[in-house]
Amino acid sequence: METYRHSSLLHGCVMFVFLATISKACERPSSPQCFRRNEEETVYTCEWSLNTTEENVTFDLHINKTLFPNIRNTSHKIRAELLIRSRSVDIWVVAHIGNSSCMSPRRSVTLKHIVKYEAPRNILVSWGKNKNNLILRWPWPAAESYPAVAEVCLRRDGHPSESWETRLTNVTINESMYQINAMNLMKDSVYQVKIRQRSNKCIEPLWSDWSSVVIVPAELEEKPEITTKIRRINGIREVTLTWRHMPSAAAVKGVTYNLSDTQSSHGCPCMNKKTKNTEGNNYTMYVSYSAVNISVFAKNDAGESPKAIVQVPAEPAEDLKICDNTSLKKKITRGTCLELYEAENAALSPKNVITLTARNKGHQTQVKDYIRYLYFEHTCDHRKPRTVKRCFFYQKEGVPIREPQDFLAYGETDTSVDLSWKAISYTDQRGFQTHYNLCRVKITSRDDKECFNISTSKVKYHLDKLTPSSEYIISLAAVTRVGEGPQATLTINTKTEKSFNVSLSFGLVVGFFLLSTMCTFIWRRIKDKIFPPVPKPVIPEFNPCRQETQVPERKETVDDLTLHHLDPGEKSNSEMAEVTTFTEHWNDGSNEEMQSEGSDSEGSINESLNPGSTRQALRSSREREVTEIEQVDTELAMLIYKNGLVFDMKAESP
Ligand SMILES: *[C@@H]1O[C@H](CO)[C@@H](O)[C@H](O)[C@H]1NC(C)=O
Ligand SMILES: *[C@@H]1O[C@H](CO)[C@@H](O)[C@H](O)[C@H]1NC(C)=O
Ligand SMILES: *[C@@H]1O[C@H](CO)[C@@H](O)[C@H](O)[C@H]1NC(C)=O
Ligand SMILES: *[C@@H]1O[C@H](CO)[C@@H](O)[C@H](O)[C@H]1NC(C)=O
Ligand SMILES: *[C@@H]1O[C@H](CO)[C@@H](O)[C@H](O)[C@H]1NC(C)=O
Ligand SMILES: *[C@@H]1O[C@H](CO)[C@@H](O)[C@H](O)[C@H]1NC(C)=O
Ligand SMILES: *[C@@H]1O[C@H](CO)[C@@H](O)[C@H](O)[C@H]1NC(C)=O
């Protein structure tokens, strides 16, 4: 009061009158509500309200004739045994502010029937799988009266002009949670939601207070779109995953990305956290050289996106060796992990993987004989998995159980054949194949056997140096370090092409001789008929010129030869050949000259022999160069010489 006086003195009488009015007339408190929180509660709560700025307020609560005085709050808890519950009672409250007192309206209630639930708290929202329904769940207080009814108020976020839409729905219980569904919403929109609830079991239920407003983000419909970058650092692979941010409607309250990988979940070799969370849009993790699947999904308040799975295959290796020694038989230390993939083919896909760590050594018994394994040895290096060894491993080796399939021969010639086959699968090899053993046996002489080692990588071979027109048995078998497997065999026949060639060429030679003989014969006849009459006027002019100037020596030798052979009636091939060749070359010589005139038909050859034309040629050529004729004659001489050799050979051959 002193404060008021002081201020009234300072500010004058208007202020004093105002203050007096306030302290005299007070607002009426609302009529109180008295209830239990549920049917089982033994404590009643009475609540009321008063619109005042005054700090020093006290209340008296009246329930019929019972008084609960000097209450400083606007609510009061009363034990049930202090109350009349089974019949109607009047309740009211009196507020005391300063010197004045104000009484609330009275209310008649039967306390037994009155239940008011707590406002829903800790509401969880999630988008349903279908029908665009939103599922709202909140904790079900232990042993609370059920069933209940809820009222949901919703409106789209960011649309303040939209009014709240109210829906009344029955509440179900699922896994110790109250649950309601709000149907036919738009999953790609952000909603504001609030809920209140009440019992529908008691006679006079009261609505609970409204829950606080919950923001429901849109559904994460798409899985993260991931790009992967891998860096190899001495047995460790650094995998950097990057993805695009989620749509803003889904990310309205933030999105968390959850990452997990198959290596961490197996604890091979590092016992790292199995899942990692990040709010950013990239993550770097370290994996070993064995295959790993990394799954990423986004999470918001209303659910999870589908999972994106990044499959990082085992690091390819060109030249995997055979394991010299492994840690299989040794004690596996902590931080070491062995992995064995059943290798069916060259693709290093993880199949029937056996993982061996310090904890589960028992799996060692799973390692089977005759099976090729891809062996990995990893260690954990400062929480990063490092692959220290990779090789092919057999617990026990055998010989191949199958012969090479599709063993075929093609392209047979007289001395060679091409072979092809299919590589033997790792499963059928049952050991490390060192090479193929290819053998050929000539059927007629069994002793003529020859074998070749062929590289394992080959599926083709050109087998040569065979004898023509022969039958061979060819066998092919895969060989492992233990021994040779079954053979694939086939029989081939080499062709007789070479002997055919010989007879063909022989025939050609004979044919050539026959032809040339005939030609010579015909030519002689023609020459006899045509030549003699014509040369007489011409040759005397021509002959002296040639003989005098050019080739007295050579003509002499030619004449000698010709005369010798022409004399007798024996018409050996050789004789004919020589004569023929001589004339032919004579023709050639004249042809060379004639070619400048552009004629090369048979008629022109005859013409060229015609002395008239020869004379023409001579006239021009004589003036040109003597050497040209010399050349022609030298050729003539050489050709005769060559023919002489041929003649000799022919003479020898028959
Ligand atoms: C409380 O009082 C203020 C002014 O003092 C008034 O504006 C407001 O409406 C009142 N509220 C209620 C619920 O009576
Ligand atoms: C409130 O009122 C009581 C008496 O009713 C008095 O003793 C007390 O000093 C007052 N407090 C304030 C803060 O005005
Ligand atoms: C309030 O009561 C006190 C004595 O208790 C008195 O001195 C004071 O004048 C009264 N104020 C009003 C406004 O009635
Ligand atoms: C709630 O369930 C009762 C019966 O179980 C039913 O009569 C009532 O219509 C339901 N109310 C709503 C809003 O679904
Ligand atoms: C109960 O809740 C679980 C999740 O906690 C959900 O998977 C299941 O579908 C719910 N059951 C019903 C009937 O809604
Ligand atoms: C990765 O996922 C694929 C497909 O589900 C599966 O075949 C493969 O075995 C998985 N790899 C690993 C290392 O778990
Ligand atoms: C083939 O290889 C094996 C083993 O490498 C060897 O013992 C054998 O002599 C080889 N045979 C031939 C024909 O090279």
Side-chain angles (χ1 to χ4, degrees):
M1 284 320 262
E2 269 192 11
T3 326
Y4 292 147
R5 289 248 173 78
H6 183 67
S7 55
S8 67
L9 282 168
L10 279 170
H11 299 290
C13 62
V14 179
M15 188 57 87
F16 173 76
V17 170
F18 174 68
L19 281 170
T21 333
I22 288 290
S23 47
K24 262 181 203 162
C26 69
E27 289 271 348
R28 296 183 79 183
S30 67
S31 75
Q33 281 187 334
C34 290
F35 51 83
R36 291 181 291 172
R37 282 297 182 196
N38 62 61
E39 283 85 350
E40 320 304 323
E41 273 267 1
T42 56
V43 175
Y44 276 78
T45 306
C46 291
E47 278 180 356
W48 59 92
S49 64
L50 176 69
N51 194 1
T52 180
T53 51
E54 189 66 57
E55 286 173 10
N56 207 352
V57 186
T58 58
F59 299 98
D60 296 333
L61 175 65
H62 298 265
I63 298 175
N64 266 6
K65 285 163 190 147
T66 321
L67 171 66
F68 301 92
N70 258 332
I71 302 163
R72 296 210 156 257
N73 304 314
T74 55
S75 74
H76 191 60
K77 288 193 188 306
I78 307 156
R79 278 184 288 124
E81 60 263 30
L82 302 176
L83 295 169
I84 306 150
R85 289 181 293 152
S86 48
R87 57 189 166 84
S88 178
V89 290
D90 285 351
I91 53 172
W92 71 96
V93 70
V94 177
H96 302 284
I97 308 166
N99 287 356
S100 54
S101 297
C102 307
M103 197 183 85
S104 75
R106 289 178 176 228
R107 184 199 289 261
S108 294
V109 292
T110 308
L111 289 173
K112 188 171 84 171
H113 295 150
I114 300 176
V115 169
K116 182 184 176 182
Y117 287 168
E118 295 267 13
R121 273 181 294 171
N122 304 325
I123 297 168
L124 303 175
V125 292
S126 57
W127 288 103
K129 292 270 177 292
N130 44 26
K131 292 187 199 156
N132 287 327
N133 67 320
L134 177 67
I135 300 166
L136 297 143
R137 304 192 308 147
W138 61 97
W140 176 36
E144 187 157 293
S145 62
Y146 167 78
V149 175
E151 195 172 38
V152 191
C153 263
L154 16 92
R155 69 175 179 195
R156 283 196 293 151
D157 190 48
H159 297 73
S161 56
E162 275 184 21
S163 56
W164 290 94
E165 182 196 340
T166 307
R167 298 178 181 192
L168 197 66
T169 137
N170 281 344
V171 178
T172 58
I173 287 180
N174 179 13
E175 297 181 357
S176 299
M177 299 280 273
Y178 280 137
Q179 179 177 320
I180 56 170
N181 290 316
M183 301 290 188
N184 303 320
L185 302 181
M186 286 172 287
K187 285 181 168 185
D188 56 356
S189 300
V190 185
Y191 281 93
Q192 296 178 354
V193 178
K194 59 181 182 180
I195 312 168
R196 62 179 184 173
Q197 59 182 341
R198 69 170 194 212
S199 167
N200 66 355
K201 200 168 153 192
C202 52
I203 295 157
E204 288 180 68
L206 298 173
W207 276 117
S208 75
D209 295 328
W210 284 108
S211 71
S212 51
V213 173
V214 176
I215 306 287
V216 182
E219 187 183 46
L220 290 159
E221 287 170 303
E222 303 290 330
K223 60 185 177 189
E225 247 179 69
I226 297 179
T227 49
T228 314
K229 223 171 72 190
I230 300 176
R231 209 153 66 91
R232 292 150 196 88
I233 322 149
N234 191 20
I236 301 173
R237 286 189 290 180
E238 182 191 80
V239 182
T240 304
L241 306 163
T242 315
W243 52 85
R244 280 217 304 237
H245 282 296
M246 289 288 146
S248 57
V252 65
K253 284 171 76 189
V255 175
T256 308
Y257 297 91
N258 177 296
L259 293 96
S260 57
D261 68 281
T262 48
Q263 288 185 1
S264 299
S265 57
H266 290 138
C268 178
C270 295
M271 304 295 289
N272 287 344
K273 263 202 301 184
K274 291 195 170 104
T275 61
K276 294 103 186 167
N277 288 311
T278 178
E279 277 160 25
N281 70 331
N282 62 70
Y283 193 83
T284 300
M285 57 167 64
Y286 296 90
V287 297
S288 70
Y289 275 8
S290 75
V292 59
N293 287 355
I294 302 168
S295 78
V296 184
F297 65 87
K299 228 171 22 175
N300 66 11
D301 283 358
E304 295 171 357
S305 75
K307 274 183 184 171
I309 297 191
V310 180
Q311 293 191 21
V312 183
E315 190 63 24
E318 288 294 304
D319 46 353
L320 277 179
K321 300 269 181 327
I322 298 159
C323 296
D324 39 8
N325 63 333
T326 66
S327 299
L328 269 173
K329 294 279 181 278
K330 294 179 218 154
K331 189 175 183 294
I332 300 164
T333 54
R334 260 196 71 162
T336 299
C337 173
L338 310 181
E339 271 185 299
L340 293 158
Y341 289 7
E342 244 175 61
E344 280 188 338
N345 48 40
L348 309 176
S349 53
K351 184 153 183 289
N352 299 338
V353 182
I354 301 172
T355 307
L356 301 168
T357 61
R359 285 167 301 136
N360 59 353
K361 284 165 288 201
H363 291 300
Q364 253 152 344
T365 53
Q366 291 176 2
V367 182
K368 289 174 268 186
D369 290 346
Y370 308 126
I371 298 279
R372 179 178 294 206
Y373 288 102
L374 175 58
Y375 172 93
F376 288 96
E377 193 171 323
H378 315 293
T379 59
C380 193
D381 182 356
H382 296 93
R383 301 183 150 265
K384 294 174 188 170
R386 182 190 294 281
T387 303
V388 291
K389 190 168 187 171
R390 275 189 302 169
C391 50
F392 281 129
F393 170 77
Y394 274 95
Q395 179 155 280
K396 187 176 177 193
E397 280 187 72
V399 298
I401 49 163
R402 282 181 89 173
E403 66 277 12
Q405 300 294 297
D406 296 346
F407 186 38
L408 294 172
Y410 60 97
E412 287 100 331
T413 68
D414 49 338
T415 58
S416 73
V417 65
D418 285 307
L419 303 167
S420 78
W421 60 91
K422 272 194 188 149
I424 300 182
S425 71
Y426 287 176
T427 322
D428 291 338
Q429 284 182 21
R430 291 162 71 86
F432 292 110
Q433 188 183 339
T434 52
H435 60 275
Y436 289 103
N437 189 17
L438 178 77
C439 293
R440 59 164 183 76
V441 184
K442 201 167 166 187
I443 283 187
T444 47
S445 57
R446 293 270 165 181
D447 301 337
D448 187 5
K449 179 175 178 175
E450 199 176 351
C451 292
F452 310 92
N453 281 359
I454 298 172
S455 157
T456 312
S457 59
K458 293 250 168 68
V459 288
K460 268 183 190 163
Y461 192 74
H462 182 72
L463 182 62
D464 54 6
K465 294 180 188 143
L466 304 177
T467 315
S469 308
S470 305
E471 197 173 11
Y472 283 97
I473 295 176
I474 297 174
S475 67
L476 181 74
V479 186
T480 66
R481 297 200 295 191
V482 173
E484 189 176 307
Q487 290 179 336
T489 56
L490 51 82
T491 310
I492 59 136
N493 289 294
T494 49
K495 289 194 174 165
T496 55
E497 204 169 326
K498 187 117 194 189
S499 46
F500 170 71
N501 270 344
V502 168
S503 60
L504 182 75
S505 48
F506 183 74
L508 279 170
V509 169
V510 171
F512 175 73
F513 275 105
L514 284 172
L515 195 73
S516 50
T517 315
M518 268 172 67
C519 285
T520 320
F521 211 73
I522 291 162
W523 169 240
R524 280 247 219 98
R525 283 273 178 106
I526 292 168
K527 195 177 142 192
D528 286 348
K529 278 184 180 173
I530 299 168
F531 214 65
V534 185
K536 269 169 190 171
V538 184
I539 284 173
E541 238 187 318
F542 171 75
N543 267 347
C545 282
R546 280 186 77 96
Q547 283 166 348
E548 280 163 17
T549 46
Q550 315 304 335
V551 277
E553 283 174 21
R554 279 170 201 156
K555 220 188 170 186
E556 266 172 26
T557 47
V558 172
D559 278 350
D560 283 346
L561 277 164
T562 321
L563 279 167
H564 272 292
H565 292 289
L566 275 172
D567 273 344
E570 315 159 27
K571 283 171 184 176
S572 74
N573 286 339
S574 52
E575 280 173 319
M576 301 300 183
E578 201 182 30
V579 176
T580 314
T581 45
F582 175 71
T583 43
E584 268 172 9
H585 289 295
W586 175 246
N587 278 352
D588 287 348
S590 46
N591 260 346
E592 269 175 29
E593 283 173 0
M594 290 308 292
Q595 266 163 10
S596 57
E597 285 170 38
S599 57
D600 52 355
S601 70
E602 225 175 290
S604 68
I605 292 169
N606 288 337
E607 271 174 19
S608 72
L609 292 166
N610 192 313
S613 56
T614 320
R615 198 195 302 153
Q616 274 182 353
L618 271 165
R619 270 174 200 158
S620 52
S621 62
R622 203 187 294 163
E623 279 154 30
R624 265 185 249 144
E625 284 168 50
V626 186
T627 46
E628 199 176 24
I629 301 161
E630 249 176 356
Q631 266 182 0
V632 173
D633 286 319
T634 322
E635 263 175 53
L636 192 78
M638 279 171 68
L639 287 162
I640 290 162
Y641 180 63
K642 275 189 204 162
N643 279 314
L645 276 178
V646 174
F647 167 69
D648 283 345
M649 281 172 75
K650 279 170 212 160
E652 278 171 65
S653 62

